[in-house]
């Protein structure tokens, strides 16, 4: 590939997720939480519980990855800025007068934009997870795949476990791993980035991030347009 | 404040919890466990299970704090003296002939004394948790609040989780965090001691420990006298 | 004891578990999993879920011991050879045409041989757990007993927890610790090896391993012959 193309993907791979992409991720996550039956009532009756659930929805992937690597599951709380950002979004979504955010969010282009931006954060999380696991276990490619997947898609696992413990949800025998589309695509991405990291794929990381992100966003928007999406 | 007052609170803050206050804490915790339906029968049929439950009741706050900081949850077992003390109290309460301890404990002044002394250990646990979390994360004040709260009041969370896993208890959607009074007061204390530790409160730690303990004990005894207490 | 006897037990204690004894352990564990209702159907419908369950059955003791010592629960995945071995056995057992392995396994002498060899791995796991815990906590003999027990018999705890979370199993109040025979014998072994390690027993480790293994294998085979065995 010629140099200007390389420059483009390199620049893209240096995009900071903070604040706009993170905001989109928190917005989509907390809106998904709000659409669960009874969520709005709980937020008024017991805001501490609702806030904790919102944090699990926003930072679930990171928490799961911490548990699997025996790092403190509270580590996400040390990033004060992001916790504050997620808390503000939780507050605005649940307590804004006239439910303005929900009304704006019900407008399809807004949903598509937010969902697309959330998918971008997924690529960054997978790459972060794979790199982080590699710093623990040099040749542990199975662990790298697992942590990349946990960071990128583990939020749903944590959220389901929380619902199970709260008694809101009863699992059938194999429902846990009836993987959503997002989960499968994250697994695929985790495998690809692990192979790239262990130098079994002859493509630069920034190009791969560019192509994989394009693929994720396209897949997500296609699924949303054809109504088969699961968050 | 004059010097003799300062001396008093300083001396108070150096009080050792071992052995008398610890004994009170184990006594109150194991008696609370014994009042659950079926506890006495299980102790005879399956003493290992009963002993484990008693340990969770006595050391639950420490276990939760260890999990949240990714320290070994078995760490409490290395303090042989305290484990032995708690085990002895469990043994005496469940297997003493004529149920002497239960009869003595049904005498209100004994309950008030034990409950008051247990509240004193709570202050020490909150301060210990806040200090310990600060040694991990220098500026992580959210983590400090969380760990102070987990040490001081996390025992009920661990105990409820144990009952859930055993099938003895089914949660409703928001019952987990319908915080007890003790839980709320612990949260308040954790916030205060964190602010003191980060030097946002112009009061010495030993004075604060003194006042907070007086407040906790008074609140607890008032609640017990007016029958609204939850252990 | 004379020198040639000592040589025999020393040689025995240097036996490598890899590959034959490990194969027997994986074979017995995955066959036990296959005998659960619906396991074969899930393997075809959702192989990822079935594979994960198989890994929990094969490496459950190690995972539990990691959790209790705050080591990464994914650590077993870094032993690529053993993961590959266990995965192959899972694949052969569930997907071999004509169910050849199941038919061979239904032949009693094969079952006895595999079960006997699995018991040998148990001794090695207990010794490994006790030694490993001692490297963390020099005098923590309660922790040593707990970790030895967790490595040797914790697989059933992990497996039951997995079934609980999946909704396949509802516990009664004290079913968790209605310890199986294997569990009790493991506890006994863990206590003995801890006392040996802390030099309270005047017997060499290799002799003790020899006698305890003989005892475990004999007990297991006797139980299987008299039909009272629980895996
Ligand atoms: Mg997430
Ligand atoms: Mg406690
Ligand atoms: Mg095992």
């Amino acid at each position: 590939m010629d140099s200007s193309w390389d420059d483009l993907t390199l620049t893209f791979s240096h995009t900071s997720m903070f604040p706009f992409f993170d905001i989109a991720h928190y917005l989509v996550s907390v809106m998904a939480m709000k659409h669960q039956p009874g969520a709005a009532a709980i937020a008024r009756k017991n805001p501490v519980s609702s806030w904790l659930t919102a944090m699990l929805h926003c930072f679930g992937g990171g928490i799961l990855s911490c548990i699997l690597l025996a790092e403190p599951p509270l580590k996400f709380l040390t990033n004060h800025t992001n916790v504050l950002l997620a808390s503000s979004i939780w507050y605005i979504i649940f307590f804004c007068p006239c439910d303005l955010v929900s009304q704006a969010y019900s407008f399809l282009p807004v949903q598509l934009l937010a969902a697309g931006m959330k998918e971008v954060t997924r690529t960054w999380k997978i790459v972060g997870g794979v790199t982080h696991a590699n710093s623990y276990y040099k040749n542990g490619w199975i662990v790298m795949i697992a942590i990349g997947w946990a960071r990128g898609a583990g939020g749903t696992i944590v959220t389901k476990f929380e619902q199970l413990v709260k008694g809101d949800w009863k699992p059938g025998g194999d429902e846990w791993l009836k993987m959503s589309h997002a989960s499968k695509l994250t697994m695929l991405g985790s495998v690809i980035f692990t192979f790239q990291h262990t130098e079994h794929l002859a493509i630069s990381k920034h190009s791969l991030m560019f192509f994989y992100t394009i693929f994720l966003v396209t897949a997500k928007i296609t699924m949303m347009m054809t109504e088969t999406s699961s968050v």
Side-chain angles (χ1 to χ4, degrees), chain A:
Chain A
M1 296 178 195
D2 61 63
S3 171
S4 72
W5 171 257
D6 219 47
D7 279 359
L8 170 71
T9 57
L10 196 59
T11 310
F12 174 77
S13 78
H14 287 151
T15 312
S16 167
M17 287 301 103
F18 180 82
F20 298 112
F21 291 90
D22 281 340
I23 288 177
H25 170 59
Y26 302 146
L27 181 69
V28 173
S29 304
V30 179
M31 285 309 298
M33 171 195 158
K34 199 186 179 186
H35 287 314
Q36 285 168 11
I42 286 176
R44 284 181 196 275
K45 258 177 54 193
N46 194 336
V48 176
S49 169
S50 174
W51 179 79
L52 268 179
T53 307
M55 291 302 108
L56 287 182
H57 275 256
C58 289
F59 300 103
I63 294 171
L64 184 64
S65 135
C66 280
I67 292 172
L68 293 178
L69 286 175
E71 294 176 343
L74 288 186
K75 216 169 85 175
F76 77 92
L77 289 176
T78 57
N79 189 341
H80 293 155
T81 322
N82 279 45
V83 171
L84 199 67
L85 198 59
S87 304
S88 315
I89 285 167
W90 163 77
Y91 189 81
I92 291 172
I93 286 179
F94 278 97
F95 298 103
C96 177
C98 315
D99 230 4
L100 280 179
V101 178
S102 296
Q103 287 186 22
Y105 192 76
S106 67
F107 188 51
L108 188 63
V110 175
Q111 279 189 43
L112 290 178
L113 180 67
M117 287 172 82
K118 181 191 155 96
E119 293 307 304
V120 177
T121 68
R122 203 187 288 276
T123 308
W124 263 243
K125 280 172 192 162
I126 297 172
V127 173
V130 167
T131 313
H132 187 59
N134 188 53
S135 74
Y136 273 78
Y137 299 112
K138 277 299 157 231
N139 295 306
W141 56 271
I142 312 185
V143 177
M144 288 160 76
I145 294 174
I147 298 297
W149 180 81
R151 282 255 187 112
T156 47
I157 301 271
V158 171
T159 310
K160 272 195 179 174
F161 188 76
E162 189 239 353
Q163 289 173 15
L164 178 76
V165 165
K166 275 191 176 171
D168 291 350
W169 179 69
K170 292 271 165 292
D174 58 339
E175 247 174 84
W176 276 94
L177 284 167
K178 200 177 282 175
M179 295 164 96
S180 64
H181 286 284
S183 207
K184 282 177 192 160
L185 294 184
T186 309
M187 178 65 90
L188 176 73
S190 195
V191 171
I192 292 175
F193 282 108
T194 299
F195 283 165
Q196 196 282 327
H197 203 89
T198 55
E199 295 174 7
H200 288 96
L201 280 187
I203 180 171
S204 65
K205 181 172 279 179
H206 50 87
S207 305
L208 195 58
M209 284 171 75
F210 185 77
F211 289 122
Y212 181 68
T213 307
I214 298 280
F215 168 64
L216 269 187
V217 173
T218 315
K220 180 73 185 178
I221 288 180
T222 313
M223 283 192 290
M224 285 179 78
M225 304 288 274
T226 57
E227 307 280 325
T228 60
S229 164
S230 59
V231 183

